[in-house]
Amino acid sequence: ILIAVLTVPVIFKDKIRTKVVQVINASVNADVKFGDYKLGFFRNFPNMTFSLDNVSVVGVDNFENDTLAALKTFDLVFNLGSLLGRSGYEIKSIIADQVQVNAIVLEDGSANWDIMKDTTETAADRPAVRSLHGRCARLRSLRRDYRAQRSLLPLLQLRQLDGMFLISESAGSAP
């Protein structure tokens, strides 16, 4: 098992990268790019960490060339045992570092963060996420910008509560 843990990420690196790009492109209406990825078993042992470096999410159509988000690193930490089972996988944590978010709302009310593609797949067609544990989401070094071309839109505010981030709405227009 140790040999497989050490060799699978190296031997199948290109195939894994291609699959990650296919899954992302099938899921979002945006141009998502990343520099490199890593599969690691030692940093969060006994869990497996999947990391993307230098991630950018850039809009298409009305938001072409507008960067929605940029992240230095994006990590998903999985319970290794759950990846080997058939009843879904367990995400221990999601960690994003040096995050820049640019939220934009156009005059017609369309928002650049509405990027998920419509899908006809059912829950049975997708791998199940059994659970999220602990401090499941951590954002380190977050910068955000909100721009609206229409007045009196709800202004999204990101608040930090004990290491967790929450989104809330307040009345008003963007500065």
Side-chain angles (χ1 to χ4, degrees):
I1 292 178
L2 181 60
I3 292 171
V5 164
L6 296 173
T7 59
V8 166
V10 175
I11 294 172
F12 296 105
K13 186 165 183 114
D14 290 336
K15 287 184 180 185
I16 294 170
R17 181 183 180 87
T18 300
K19 185 64 175 176
V20 169
V21 169
Q22 287 174 345
V23 168
I24 291 171
N25 287 336
S27 303
V28 298
N29 289 314
D31 182 21
V32 179
K33 294 182 181 172
F34 57 92
D36 198 10
Y37 83 91
K38 298 176 195 102
L39 284 174
F41 297 92
F42 299 110
R43 183 172 26 158
N44 292 295
F45 188 80
N47 303 306
M48 185 195 80
T49 304
F50 176 77
S51 300
L52 294 175
D53 294 332
N54 301 313
V55 179
S56 69
V57 181
V58 178
V60 296
D61 300 328
N62 291 339
F63 298 101
E64 189 169 358
N65 298 321
D66 287 327
T67 300
L68 167 60
L71 304 88
K72 181 171 178 156
T73 60
F74 178 77
D75 299 342
L76 292 173
V77 179
F78 294 93
N79 174 318
L80 182 57
S82 74
L83 294 175
L84 304 173
R86 295 180 184 240
S87 61
Y89 48 87
E90 177 183 330
I91 299 173
K92 301 289 263 181
S93 62
I94 301 168
I95 305 163
D97 192 22
Q98 295 184 22
V99 180
Q100 170 69 44
V101 176
N102 298 302
I104 302 170
V105 178
L106 298 179
E107 194 167 317
D108 67 2
S110 58
N112 70 333
W113 62 83
D114 185 13
I115 62 172
M116 297 306 295
K117 287 185 178 178
D118 292 330
T119 180
T120 57
E121 75 180 356
T122 64
D125 297 331
R126 292 185 301 269
V129 175
R130 269 200 329 238
S131 60
L132 291 169
H133 282 273
R135 293 188 175 269
C136 60
R138 264 184 278 168
L139 299 175
R140 294 184 270 201
S141 183
L142 172 69
R143 285 184 15 184
R144 69 223 181 262
D145 180 34
Y146 178 82
R147 292 177 296 172
Q149 294 180 357
R150 189 167 120 188
S151 64
L152 299 178
L153 285 174
L155 179 61
L156 295 180
Q157 296 179 337
L158 201 54
R159 297 187 289 129
Q160 183 176 4
L161 261 183
D162 192 27
M164 301 295 290
F165 288 86
L166 306 172
I167 294 177
S168 61
E169 291 185 12
S170 68
S173 60

